[in-house]
Amino acid sequence: MKKIFTIAAVLFLAGNMLAQKTKENNIDKMIEKLTLEEKINIVVGVGFNMPGITPESEMIEEKVPGAAGHSFAINRINLPTTVLADGPAGVRITPERPNDDKTYYATAFPIASLMASTWDTALMQEVGQAFGNESKEYGVDILLAPALNIHRHPLTGRNFEYYSEDPVVSGKMAAAFVRGVQSEGVGTSIKHFVANNQETNRTTVNAIISERALREIYLKGFEIAVKEAQPWTVMSSYNKINGVYASQRHDLLTSILRGEWGFEGFVMTDWFAGDDAVAQMKAGNDLLMPGIEKQREAIKSAIEDGSLSMEILDQNIGRILNIYTQTLSYKGYKPTGNPDLENHKELARKAAAQGIILLDNKDNTLPLNKNNKTALFGVASYETLIGGTGSGDVNNASEVSLFEGSQNNEMNIDENLANTYLEYIKIGKENLPPKTFFMAPDQQVSEKDWTPEEVNQIAERTELAVYTIGRTSGEFQDRKVENDFLLNDKELNTIKLLSKAYHSRGKKLVVILNIGGVIETASWKELADAILLAWQPGQEAGNAITDVLTGKVNPSGKLTMTFPVNYEDHKSSENFPGREFDLPPVGNISFMEAKPAEVKYEEGIFVGYRHFETNKVKTSYPFGYGLSYTTFDYSKLKVKEKSGGYEVSCTIKNTGSTPGKEVVQLYISAPQGDLQKPVRELKAFHKTGLLQPGEKETITFSLSKYDLASYHTKKSAWIAETGTYKIQIGASVEEINLEESIALACFIHKPQIYQNFRLA
Ligand code: BGC
């Protein structure tokens, strides 16, 4: 028996090696057959239809309408078009196709910030697989997701598409998502590599960052995702880093990404990024998207005059073909047009409810009693925002508002008030100005004003008030302070009126935050009895929110970013969004033009909680925080040394009376030595299963010495200095429940330095 297995294993290995060899040979052969024009058509995409911008005569034929990118088909080598589509909250394509009765609506899943708030990598992988299934059945080969830039500042317009202010959360979530999508035979593109941390002048801004901060904060998540999940592609970012466009940096795209981390796929630009196609080729930015004529011409003349070698061009083509020959299109898969939308709807609801965060819950206000008459206030209770705008938007078939969800969950809602809002919204919508630009944020109906008399009347006839505050944001714009980070006057006034009217009658007020990014909460939170951070929860919004409100689901989401008292409390506020130079705007296409600008990341590694904890700045809600309808006890911390690191275990017990899940966080508090260290840094996390009252779960974390190291720029090495390190296990960065010290002798990891290395 054993022998048969051995023979089978040998044959399998030999077969595999042969397949690899054949593949390589095939790709070399494919390249040999190509003309220069065809070669250029492999490294430059076919272009992009921009509604209202691209003239009718220049519209390209799209294999999948609405997909952000297509590659050229080259029939002589049997290479079909590869289809690339956004994005992080669902497959972004046009739902209708010419001469086709079928519809191609995709599931709008919760935004990335909500998904990260689940801290559940298994759930993330399951969601990723659903994205993979929809991509596959709708004809998309490579999904332009996940996006994992760091929440450097709370006002960044695209934070909703990103996971966290912490690189370990970002990297682990991205890796799980990539594994899920790619398990369906669909590729991913982890983006935007790297330091695309603002929308203001995003295509021109020069981000000035120390090498230590780059490596420990901004690159770390990408490093984790590449090493753990090997995404098929990486999308380089628009911005410059220390003077050079990210898409033109050999050190980043070749030395670090491939040399140090072992990335095996290809790199593509973000849409219209950079200013030098030849430099992009040389840096190892294999594919230029969506592709413009000027880039084709530049590459052609550089090959002709010898300033770009054919070896480099062929190397880039080889990397692209290596992936293209693995796509479903290449393999001849016929998309059915029928992904499992029904199951995905359920999954979207489940995922949303797992990432909703209970921020406050005085006197067990929640879960609410379904039979008590509830007054639903706020436009967003009826027009619930399911996601952000721009390329992170999704064309979904249906969506459930909080009001509709409350009906589905059989809550007792004050209909009179509901009708007043529905009528107000209907009229408000009729008066909204039309969209001027295809990527412009959606216009929203402004909040309704209330008088004290009106509110008192409603408070008299209802038991509870639920007030929803909505915010949207998206690509092209960072958020503002007034009427965005801060509540506007109408919102503040409504909270005050509701608080007074309901509290004076011994009744309660619940505030729901239907937002994509952090807002100010410190000045008004005491007026509410419970606050639920629902994020933008995807198409099943209303169902998921009411699942949590009614206690069908016990909240278990926790913050992956800090909610500050004032946004200026973030160290990065001193340099956000940087300064713009008085120079003419530049860019590859008119609507992407921006003035040259620069931003200094003077805070270094002190981003988010690393700053708040180290410099003892008070927060409104700290990183890692979130309440539950039950309570947990932490015990039995054990630390064992094992080769190359440590094994850490602890036990979590549900000590309350409701089943619930806990997000357990492992932090390291390192000694101060040559390198300044934050008070503590997250190194690992785990979400428990659903623990019944009294039930326990023992969790084991694995920690390597490399995980404890910081980047020492002068020594060009990752170093964990000699000293005592505290392993801290907690329920948030400010609630450490268990601690044990370990003594470490200096650990050094020196990355191999590749040619042309010049990150600083
Ligand atoms: C965005 C990317 C997106 C691409 C294609 C760009 O503007 O930054 O995230 O994948 O467009 O739509």
Side-chain angles (χ1 to χ4, degrees):
M1 189 68 171
K2 199 172 161 196
K3 205 167 166 189
I4 297 175
F5 273 136
T6 321
I7 294 170
V10 168
L11 285 176
F12 174 75
L13 282 177
N16 241 355
M17 278 160 65
L18 195 69
Q20 286 234 331
K21 212 158 182 243
T22 325
K23 201 167 85 192
E24 270 166 34
N25 286 343
N26 278 345
I27 285 170
D28 289 347
K29 282 204 186 106
M30 282 167 102
I31 299 177
E32 268 169 34
K33 288 189 196 149
L34 298 170
T35 63
L36 178 58
E37 196 138 313
E38 286 167 337
K39 284 187 177 183
I40 295 173
N41 280 347
I42 289 188
V43 295
V44 184
V46 300
F48 178 44
N49 294 338
M50 286 158 286
I53 298 180
T54 317
E56 225 20 69
S57 59
E58 286 170 29
M59 287 279 195
I60 53 150
E61 203 186 309
E62 294 173 310
K63 185 169 164 193
V64 173
H70 286 85
S71 74
F72 281 98
I74 302 182
N75 296 337
R76 283 191 322 106
I77 57 166
N78 296 323
L79 187 70
T81 296
T82 301
V83 180
L84 304 93
D86 285 304
V91 182
R92 185 164 195 267
I93 55 174
T94 306
E96 272 125 22
R97 300 184 181 179
N99 313 319
D100 188 346
D101 292 342
K102 248 187 109 51
T103 53
Y104 297 80
Y105 287 104
T107 307
F109 285 95
I111 57 167
S113 298
L114 181 149
M115 286 308 303
S117 307
T118 68
W119 299 68
D120 187 339
T121 50
L123 177 64
M124 190 63 175
Q125 185 163 333
E126 199 183 338
V127 167
Q129 189 169 358
F131 273 69
N133 172 258
E134 292 191 19
S135 305
K136 177 177 173 179
E137 302 308 353
Y138 283 165
V140 172
D141 296 302
I142 297 176
L143 185 77
L144 304 172
L148 61 147
N149 293 100
I150 292 292
H151 293 190
R152 172 178 177 249
H153 195 267
L155 297 187
T156 299
R158 289 183 90 175
N159 275 351
F160 75 97
E161 289 186 64
Y162 307 148
Y163 298 122
S164 173
E165 66 189 22
D166 179 84
V168 172
V169 176
S170 305
K172 296 277 177 191
M173 282 296 164
F177 182 81
V178 169
R179 281 195 297 270
V181 176
Q182 294 190 174
S183 70
E184 290 287 303
V186 172
T188 52
S189 192
I190 60 172
K191 66 188 189 182
H192 312 87
F193 191 61
V194 63
N196 183 172
N197 304 110
Q198 63 186 60
E199 289 303 287
T200 311
N201 296 315
R202 67 172 174 163
T203 51
T204 51
V205 70
N206 178 23
I208 300 173
I209 319 177
S210 73
E211 184 168 3
R212 180 175 175 196
L214 253 177
R215 292 206 180 243
E216 288 183 27
I217 306 292
Y218 300 101
L219 288 171
K220 197 53 155 187
F222 288 93
E223 178 183 348
I224 294 171
V226 166
K227 288 182 174 170
E228 291 190 6
Q230 199 57 254
W232 286 13
T233 80
V234 168
M235 187 190 292
S236 56
S237 58
Y238 283 124
N239 51 288
K240 291 179 180 173
I241 298 164
N242 300 333
V244 182
Y245 279 108
S247 61
Q248 294 167 200
R249 293 199 69 120
H250 185 273
D251 50 6
L252 197 63
L253 307 184
T254 298
S255 309
I256 294 187
L257 181 62
R258 304 177 212 263
E260 287 183 24
W261 303 346
F263 173 63
E264 293 167 3
F266 73 80
V267 177
M268 71 178 88
T269 58
D270 198 346
W271 271 227
F272 306 102
D275 66 353
D276 185 339
V278 176
Q280 288 169 321
M281 288 294 108
K282 290 182 181 169
N285 196 123
D286 311 295
L287 174 65
L288 311 185
M289 287 305 286
I292 46 178
E293 204 41 46
K294 166 171 121 178
Q295 294 167 330
R296 260 184 273 282
E297 284 157 17
I299 295 172
K300 186 157 185 265
S301 55
I303 288 282
E304 283 167 356
D305 68 19
S307 54
L308 175 65
S309 73
M310 196 60 96
E311 285 71 39
I312 289 184
L313 188 60
D314 285 351
Q315 190 180 32
N316 297 341
I317 293 170
R319 291 183 190 131
I320 296 172
L321 290 182
N322 204 12
I323 294 295
Y324 281 1
T325 50
Q326 297 178 44
T327 60
L328 291 165
S329 289
Y330 187 80
K331 291 178 176 165
Y333 182 76
K334 295 268 168 293
T336 60
N338 294 319
D340 202 351
L341 295 177
E342 272 312 302
N343 266 329
H344 298 171
K345 197 198 256 185
E346 280 312 303
L347 180 60
R349 176 175 183 165
K350 176 173 97 174
Q354 294 298 317
I356 290 176
I357 305 173
L358 182 62
L359 293 175
D360 268 310
N361 197 20
K362 285 180 208 138
D363 303 324
N364 298 326
T365 300
L366 293 177
L368 51 74
N369 181 341
K370 276 210 247 195
N371 301 322
N372 284 346
K373 180 144 268 167
T374 298
L376 274 188
F377 283 89
V379 168
S381 288
Y382 303 86
E383 289 285 298
T384 310
L385 294 150
I386 66 160
T389 61
S391 60
D393 197 1
V394 187
N395 292 313
N396 46 297
S398 64
E399 53 198 61
V400 182
S401 69
L402 174 56
F403 172 60
E404 289 158 344
S406 68
Q407 309 279 292
N408 298 342
N409 257 323
E410 290 166 349
M411 281 170 59
N412 182 359
I413 298 295
D414 187 275
E415 279 184 23
N416 203 321
L417 176 63
N419 289 335
T420 308
Y421 264 109
L422 291 171
E423 190 55 29
Y424 170 82
I425 292 166
K426 193 168 150 243
I427 296 168
K429 275 185 164 176
E430 284 162 8
N431 295 321
L432 284 179
K435 250 191 185 191
T436 46
F437 167 51
F438 78 107
M439 284 282 198
D442 295 329
Q443 301 280 346
Q444 283 172 285
V445 175
S446 70
E447 201 46 276
K448 183 169 162 41
D449 258 334
W450 290 100
T451 63
E453 295 70 38
E454 287 168 326
V455 169
N456 274 321
Q457 259 181 28
I458 300 167
E460 200 52 49
R461 64 173 196 248
T462 55
E463 287 306 309
L464 178 79
V466 171
Y467 178 41
T468 309
I469 291 170
R471 289 285 182 278
T472 187
S473 69
E475 223 179 319
F476 292 96
Q477 252 172 31
D478 286 317
R479 293 170 50 218
K480 308 183 291 342
V481 177
E482 300 299 323
N483 191 17
D484 193 345
F485 179 75
L486 299 177
L487 299 195
N488 62 37
D489 291 346
K490 278 189 197 172
E491 291 165 335
L492 266 182
N493 190 38
T494 307
I495 291 190
K496 284 180 191 156
L497 287 179
L498 290 173
S499 178
K500 199 165 167 206
Y502 280 80
H503 289 160
S504 65
R505 293 171 170 81
K507 298 175 181 177
K508 289 180 176 169
L509 165 65
V510 177
V511 173
I512 296 182
L513 303 180
N514 177 205
I515 58 182
V518 171
I519 64 165
E520 190 274 329
T521 49
S523 71
W524 56 266
K525 64 182 184 182
E526 286 311 320
L527 297 173
D529 300 283
I531 303 176
L532 202 60
L533 171 53
W535 291 120
Q536 291 159 346
Q539 67 177 47
E540 285 294 296
N543 287 334
I545 299 171
T546 46
D547 284 346
V548 174
L549 284 177
T550 57
K552 201 161 160 185
V553 174
N554 184 350
S556 60
K558 294 204 184 189
L559 293 175
T560 61
M561 74 296 288
T562 307
F563 269 56
V565 174
N566 306 297
Y567 84 91
E568 296 97 325
D569 296 343
H570 271 271
K571 189 83 182 113
S572 54
S573 289
E574 290 163 22
N575 291 284
F576 181 88
R579 64 184 180 124
E580 196 172 84
F581 298 111
D582 193 13
L583 291 168
V586 290
N588 279 325
I589 185 149
S590 58
F591 77 92
M592 289 265 179
E593 279 184 354
K595 284 192 169 188
E598 93 179 4
V599 55
K600 291 188 180 145
Y601 287 28
E602 270 168 359
E603 69 282 359
I605 61 161
F606 292 95
V607 175
Y609 72 86
R610 285 167 167 79
H611 160 65
F612 285 88
E613 295 306 301
T614 309
N615 297 315
K616 301 197 170 53
V617 181
K618 211 171 161 297
T619 62
S620 185
Y621 300 107
F623 176 86
Y625 168 87
L627 301 173
S628 165
Y629 297 152
T630 188
T631 48
F632 298 96
D633 174 66
Y634 286 59
S635 67
K636 297 200 189 122
L637 174 60
K638 287 195 196 111
V639 181
K640 266 196 270 172
E641 204 162 343
K642 58 164 200 183
S643 85
Y646 304 89
E647 197 177 271
V648 180
S649 63
C650 66
T651 300
I652 309 300
K653 182 179 177 188
N654 182 348
T655 49
S657 51
T658 312
K661 298 180 185 176
E662 172 69 325
V663 175
V664 185
Q665 301 154 43
L666 187 157
Y667 294 91
I668 289 288
S669 182
Q672 299 295 337
D674 212 9
L675 293 165
Q676 195 197 354
K677 292 277 208 170
V679 161
R680 63 181 61 91
E681 288 182 288
L682 184 84
K683 295 297 170 184
F685 58 87
H686 176 85
K687 188 161 194 175
T688 66
L690 187 69
L691 299 178
Q692 298 301 317
E695 197 185 347
K696 293 179 191 162
E697 183 177 322
T698 295
I699 297 163
T700 306
F701 297 104
S702 176
L703 210 56
S704 72
K705 290 185 183 163
Y706 180 59
D707 292 336
L708 307 187
S710 286
Y711 195 77
H712 197 302
T713 313
K714 280 202 196 111
K715 295 184 180 162
S716 297
W718 288 91
I719 299 186
E721 294 180 273
T722 302
T724 304
Y725 289 71
K726 289 184 204 138
I727 296 182
Q728 303 178 323
I729 309 279
S732 84
V733 72
E734 288 182 1
E735 194 188 333
I736 301 300
N737 296 320
L738 302 168
E739 182 177 296
E740 190 166 322
S741 297
I742 49 173
L744 184 86
C746 186
F747 163 86
I748 303 185
H749 167 73
K750 212 169 163 61
Q752 207 179 327
I753 305 294
Y754 288 79
Q755 52 159 340
N756 287 344
F757 195 86
R758 43 149 227 274
L759 194 57

